[in-house]
Amino acid sequence: MMVPGIVIMRMCYHSSMSDDGKIFLSRLVKVSRLLARDEGATLYEIMENVGYRTRKGAQDAIDRLEDFGIPVVEDGARRGRRKIYRLLDPDSLLVFGRRMLDVLLDEEESLLLGFCLESLSRSSAVVDVCGDHFLSKLSGMMGADVEPKLMESGNWFRSTEGSHRYLVTFLKACARHLPVQIDYVNAEGDEKRHKVYPLKCYVFEGGVYIQTLNWRGQVMTLSLYRVKSAELCGPEEYPQPLDDPVSLLDDPFAIVPEEEELDCLLRLDGRQASYEMAKAWPASVSFENEDGGTVLMRLRTRGRYWLTRWILSLGASAQVLEPDDLRSEVAQAIENMGNLYR
C-alpha cells in the first residue's frame, strides 16, 4: 500500500529535518516544476533532471503529487516512444505549494513567514523574527539553502525574545479576529493596561507596529517595542471603526494618524524624483515633470509628523512649496540643525 505523501512529509519534519527529507522535498518540487511546463515531461526526463535512478522512482514521485491532490495526466502525444506527463491544471502548482507549507509549518511559523514576506514586498526593513527553525524547512522544500539574511533586509530593528513572542500573539489575533489584553508603555513612560482589537501588523522605518481599535472604535497604532505583555482574549465582536483602517494603512506617513488631513506640494530634484517615482505610492500621491528636470510631487496625508521627518531626510533634494506653515516648519527645523554646528 502506498504511503500518502502527506504522511511522509510529516515524518520528514517531525522534529528536525533529515537529509533524506530534504532530498525528498527538493526532488518533489523539481518534478512538479517539470510537469508544469507546456511541454510536460517524460519519466526519463524526470530521472535525468531530478536524479532518480529508475523509472519506478520517477513514477512514485508523480504518485506523491497525486496524494497531495495535484492531478497528473498522461498526454496523448509522445516524445519518441516515451509517454509525456503534465499537470492537469498548471495553477495547481500553487495549491501544491500552499499544501506543502501547511504540512511543514505550524501556525506560528506560517504567520511569521507571511509577515516577513509581506514586509519584504513593501520594501521595508524586515525585523529579525524568522530564525532557523523554519528556514531549514524551506531550504529542504526549495532544494537550496535559504539564507537567513534574506529575511533581514536592512534589519534596523532587531526584536527581542519578548517582542518576538508578542508579535506572534498579535499575528494570531489578526488572523482569528480576537481582542488582546496588553500592558503598554506610552510616550510619557506610563505603563497602562488596555484591551485592544488588532487589525494589522506591519513594519515601518525598521520597527513593528500594530494597527488596532480601542473599545470606542478609534483606530490606534501601537509600537511592538512598547508592549510589555500581551494575552489573547476570547471571541468578542469588534467595535465599529470610526475611521477607515484600510485607507489609513494606504497613507504612507500616517503611522500615527492625526485629525487634520494635509495637502502637500514638493519639488524634487531629478535624481531623487526618479527614485521616488519607482516606488509603489498610493493613489493619493502624484508626480508631474517640470522643465529643467525637476518633478512636482503632490500628496495628501494625515501623518504630518512623519512627512516632516521624511522631507528633512531628503536634504537639498526636496523643497516644500505648499502649504506655507509646513514650509516654515521645515525651514525652522533646518535652521535649528544648522545652529548645532556653529
Side-chain angles (χ1 to χ4, degrees):
M1 180 178 178
M2 184 178 299
V3 180
I6 289 180
V7 174
I8 294 177
M9 299 283 281
R10 290 194 185 279
M11 290 170 57
C12 290
Y13 285 101
H14 180 260
S15 57
S16 61
M17 184 169 52
S18 66
D19 290 340
D20 288 343
K22 292 181 180 180
I23 294 172
F24 170 80
L25 286 180
S26 61
R27 284 181 171 179
L28 205 58
V29 170
K30 291 177 182 177
V31 171
S32 65
R33 289 173 177 168
L34 287 172
L35 298 178
R37 301 182 306 177
D38 291 339
E39 64 270 28
T42 67
L43 291 180
Y44 285 96
E45 288 170 340
I46 292 175
M47 291 168 57
E48 180 181 354
N49 288 277
V50 180
Y52 294 109
R53 296 181 179 180
T54 65
R55 294 175 71 252
K56 184 180 184 304
Q59 183 65 60
D60 285 346
I62 292 176
D63 293 338
R64 295 294 182 268
L65 290 176
E66 300 257 358
D67 291 340
F68 273 91
I70 311 301
V72 179
V73 297
E74 290 184 18
D75 199 308
R78 291 173 177 258
R79 272 196 276 282
R81 299 172 57 186
R82 296 169 180 171
K83 296 179 182 178
I84 297 175
Y85 298 83
R86 69 176 75 248
L87 297 185
L88 180 62
D89 178 9
D91 290 340
S92 63
L93 189 60
L94 298 175
V95 178
F96 170 58
R98 286 196 295 269
R99 289 181 179 176
M100 288 186 75
L101 289 176
D102 287 342
V103 171
L104 299 179
L105 307 181
D106 60 26
E107 181 187 19
E108 176 178 328
E109 294 169 337
S110 298
L111 290 170
L112 288 173
L113 176 62
F115 174 75
C116 289
L117 293 178
E118 182 181 4
S119 300
L120 280 172
S121 70
R122 293 168 61 94
S123 299
S124 299
V126 180
V127 176
D128 180 17
V129 296
C130 26
D132 295 335
H133 60 297
F134 67 81
L135 287 181
S136 61
K137 298 181 180 182
L138 294 180
S139 296
M141 188 182 77
M142 298 173 65
D145 288 336
V146 177
E147 170 58 46
K149 288 296 180 184
L150 292 177
M151 293 296 187
E152 300 173 18
S153 173
N155 202 23
W156 297 309
F157 174 98
R158 296 182 66 87
S159 63
T160 65
E161 183 178 348
S163 296
H164 173 204
R165 182 173 68 253
Y166 300 145
L167 173 60
V168 172
T169 301
F170 284 110
L171 289 172
K172 287 180 178 179
C174 293
R176 302 177 189 175
H177 212 60
L178 294 175
V180 177
Q181 192 79 35
I182 65 170
D183 289 309
Y184 190 78
V185 178
N186 61 24
E188 288 73 36
D190 301 323
E191 183 174 327
K192 295 183 179 180
R193 173 155 286 220
H194 306 273
K195 178 184 280 189
V196 296
Y197 302 81
L199 301 172
K200 182 73 174 178
C201 300
Y202 59 97
V203 173
F204 181 80
E205 291 291 332
V208 179
Y209 294 87
I210 308 100
Q211 186 190 57
T212 69
L213 299 174
N214 65 10
W215 66 273
R216 296 187 182 91
Q218 294 173 314
V219 179
M220 303 169 55
T221 303
L222 306 179
S223 167
L224 185 68
Y225 177 75
R226 295 180 180 274
V227 176
K228 299 307 176 183
S229 70
E231 183 177 351
L232 285 173
C233 300
E236 181 180 330
E237 186 174 352
Y238 270 40
Q240 187 67 29
L242 300 180
D243 273 312
D244 179 12
V246 176
S247 65
L248 290 176
L249 284 175
D250 284 340
D251 188 328
F253 303 106
I255 181 68
V256 178
E258 301 169 28
E259 291 296 328
E260 183 181 352
E261 196 168 57
L262 176 71
D263 288 305
C264 179
L265 178 63
L266 305 175
R267 175 174 286 126
L268 305 178
D269 65 24
R271 183 175 181 180
Q272 187 67 38
S274 63
Y275 175 72
E276 300 302 335
M277 293 171 71
K279 294 181 180 179
W281 292 95
S284 58
V285 179
S286 63
F287 297 90
E288 178 185 341
N289 291 317
E290 290 188 301
D291 294 337
T294 57
V295 173
L296 295 179
M297 179 180 183
R298 290 182 171 85
L299 60 92
R300 175 172 293 178
T301 181
R302 285 178 56 183
R304 182 186 183 113
Y305 173 78
W306 283 104
L307 170 64
T308 305
R309 287 173 62 103
W310 176 72
I311 293 171
L312 290 169
S313 74
L314 300 182
S317 295
Q319 178 188 9
V320 179
L321 302 180
E322 298 175 4
D324 290 339
D325 60 334
L326 179 62
R327 180 181 173 92
S328 299
E329 181 180 338
V330 170
Q332 185 63 56
I334 294 172
E335 181 179 345
N336 293 343
M337 286 190 291
N339 290 336
L340 295 175
Y341 297 94
R342 290 176 181 168

